[in-house]
Amino acid sequence: FITQHLTGSDFLKLSEVSHSWNQFVSGSEEAMKKIQLVVIENWSREVDLEVFEKSTRKYKHLKVENLLRTRENVVKLIHQFADSLETIESFFDFDLNGLQLLSLKFLSIHTRHVSSHVPNGLSYAATNLTRLHLSGPNPFPLSIINCFKMNPKLEELQLDSDVSEIFFNLMTPEIAEGCLLKKLSLNSVKFSDTALRGLAILLGSQIDTITELKILQCELSFLIKVFGGMKSLRRLTYSPAHYLAQYRCPTLKPHPTLEELNLIHPNVNLVKGLVAASPKLKSLYIANANWEIFENVAIRAPNLLQFRYAFFTDIDFSVDDIRDGYKNKMQKFSNVKKGLEIIQV
């Protein structure tokens, strides 16, 4: 019962008390779930493989924060615990060729330079991924497509690179239907018309499963097209591809499930359309808002519970200013729901 309240650090300290406690921690499934193996090198300290070669612990979590010289030692470390590793988070790429990471559920690689290592093994090392996060200057689109094919249990995909090639000519209905995504985040894709068609193929095959969608720098016309069809969507984060001063209020079908909306650089018409089409909206975040947007939120979102906002300009309003203005507007309506939380972030 006591071990349920211990953290990974607590278990490591406990393992140093005595040999028997060390054996207990090494054999504890709960301890291995909480302990994270972190690689941080400096000029006076490298990865000491001898410490791990005779280890009986089945480490599940590996995080590589800093490497100077011994990348091959980390690869050996991954081989050492290949049967038990469930998560790998690294700011460096590795040659994964020949690896079979059958227990791996979460892979996160943030490359800082153009890489030739990741594509070599990413496609085949893991077959049971549920979460995949990739970022860096080399998007390796073909490897990502192969990941779709090799990991039918993939539920979360986050891409922080320009991977427009995936949607430009690689995404097909057969590939898209091979997985059931719940979370999709596209943070740096440069969407051409052809790439948008590929993205439409992917989203069209996931309309019953995706609950969270983040899509930045995307045409408003595309959002209008797919918004109503996402039957299970609960959280949407969106920023338009262009300045929206000339856009009129979009006509959107009411969305029955959307509860959280995050908008970056919207204009008032976009806010009007999305808020009006989201009757179950509980949480709203707006980056770079203005007073006209605040007023329309007040009018069109009577059931809102939390309103968060941020400014990227010199114009600023205090929380009290917004709350007072909100109340003044809401007094005109009988269906006001009290208890709105307003937060400046």
Side-chain angles (χ1 to χ4, degrees):
F1 174 76
I2 296 177
T3 59
Q4 295 178 4
H5 303 284
L6 298 181
T7 65
S9 298
D10 293 333
F11 276 113
L12 288 176
K13 293 177 182 178
L14 191 62
S15 69
E16 297 174 354
V17 173
S18 66
H19 178 68
S20 59
W21 275 114
N22 189 299
Q23 287 183 315
F24 168 78
V25 171
S26 298
S28 169
E29 181 73 16
E30 185 173 356
M32 290 300 102
K33 286 182 179 179
K34 294 181 178 179
I35 292 176
Q36 185 179 53
L37 187 59
V38 181
V39 176
I40 305 177
E41 279 192 356
N42 54 48
W43 288 112
S44 61
R45 183 178 181 181
E46 298 181 359
V47 179
D48 189 354
L49 284 177
E50 294 181 1
V51 174
F52 302 101
E53 285 176 347
K54 298 180 181 180
S55 175
T56 59
R57 295 182 181 177
K58 295 183 178 181
Y59 287 101
K60 295 180 180 294
H61 310 290
L62 173 64
K63 184 175 183 179
V64 184
E65 292 187 348
N66 189 38
L67 281 179
L68 296 177
R69 299 180 295 279
T70 55
R71 184 174 306 197
E72 66 276 8
N73 280 359
V74 177
V75 174
K76 292 177 181 178
L77 199 64
I78 295 175
H79 277 273
Q80 173 84 8
F81 303 108
D83 292 337
S84 59
L85 281 175
E86 294 183 0
T87 70
I88 296 177
E89 183 177 0
S90 174
F91 290 89
F92 295 83
D93 57 305
F94 302 101
D95 188 346
L96 302 177
N97 262 337
L99 272 176
Q100 289 293 311
L101 303 171
L102 300 181
S103 299
L104 196 66
K105 301 293 191 298
F106 173 46
L107 176 62
S108 176
I109 298 179
H110 309 274
T111 58
R112 296 170 179 168
H113 307 286
V114 175
S115 166
S116 60
H117 294 302
V118 176
N120 290 338
L122 177 62
S123 305
Y124 308 105
T127 56
N128 291 300
L129 287 177
T130 59
R131 301 170 62 205
L132 176 63
H133 293 183
L134 297 173
S135 67
N138 188 353
F140 26 87
L142 188 57
S143 294
I144 297 172
I145 287 293
N146 285 333
C147 266
F148 272 98
K149 297 178 181 178
M150 299 293 292
N151 293 274
K153 297 179 181 178
L154 191 66
E155 295 182 350
E156 180 178 332
L157 178 62
Q158 178 177 315
L159 302 175
D160 296 330
S161 304
D162 178 20
V163 288
S164 54
E165 187 178 345
I166 291 177
F167 306 106
F168 184 77
N169 58 10
L170 296 177
M171 182 61 65
T172 65
E174 292 75 20
I175 293 174
E177 291 170 2
C179 62
L180 298 174
L181 290 176
K182 293 183 179 179
K183 299 180 182 180
L184 176 62
S185 297
L186 304 174
N187 297 328
S188 299
V189 178
K190 296 177 181 177
F191 289 108
S192 63
D193 290 341
T194 307
L196 285 176
R197 286 196 291 270
L199 179 57
I201 291 174
L202 177 61
L203 293 179
S205 67
Q206 316 290 312
I207 58 174
D208 293 323
T209 60
I210 287 186
T211 60
E212 297 184 18
L213 176 63
K214 182 179 181 181
I215 181 170
L216 304 183
Q217 297 297 309
C218 184
E219 294 289 347
L220 179 59
S221 58
F222 180 80
L223 178 68
I224 295 172
K225 180 179 178 181
V226 302
F227 179 78
M230 309 299 291
K231 298 179 181 178
S232 301
L233 190 64
R234 296 187 179 277
R235 176 188 294 173
L236 173 64
T237 301
Y238 171 76
S239 71
H242 306 289
Y243 182 59
L244 293 179
Q246 305 302 320
Y247 279 75
R248 293 179 294 178
C249 182
T251 302
L252 298 168
K253 297 178 181 178
H255 202 289
T257 61
L258 192 66
E259 296 180 350
E260 181 178 338
L261 183 58
N262 306 295
L263 299 175
I264 302 169
H265 294 296
N267 71 351
V268 65
N269 290 327
L270 177 60
V271 175
K272 284 181 181 179
L274 285 171
V275 171
S278 308
K280 292 189 176 181
L281 191 64
K282 297 179 181 178
S283 176
L284 175 64
Y285 167 74
I286 295 180
N288 215 20
N290 55 44
W291 189 254
E292 187 180 8
I293 288 178
F294 291 136
E295 289 181 323
N296 276 276
V297 169
I299 294 172
R300 298 173 186 272
N303 296 318
L304 201 64
L305 298 178
Q306 185 184 77
F307 179 33
R308 298 176 297 125
Y309 67 98
F311 294 105
F312 300 148
T313 65
D314 294 333
I315 301 173
D316 203 350
F317 303 104
S318 70
V319 170
D320 290 336
D321 291 337
I322 296 170
R323 185 178 287 112
D324 291 341
Y326 191 98
K327 287 181 179 178
N328 291 336
K329 286 287 182 181
M330 294 300 265
Q331 286 174 357
K332 300 178 181 179
F333 301 91
S334 59
N335 59 344
V336 176
K337 185 170 184 177
K338 297 181 180 179
L340 175 70
E341 182 182 16
I342 301 176
I343 304 172
Q344 183 174 4
V345 295

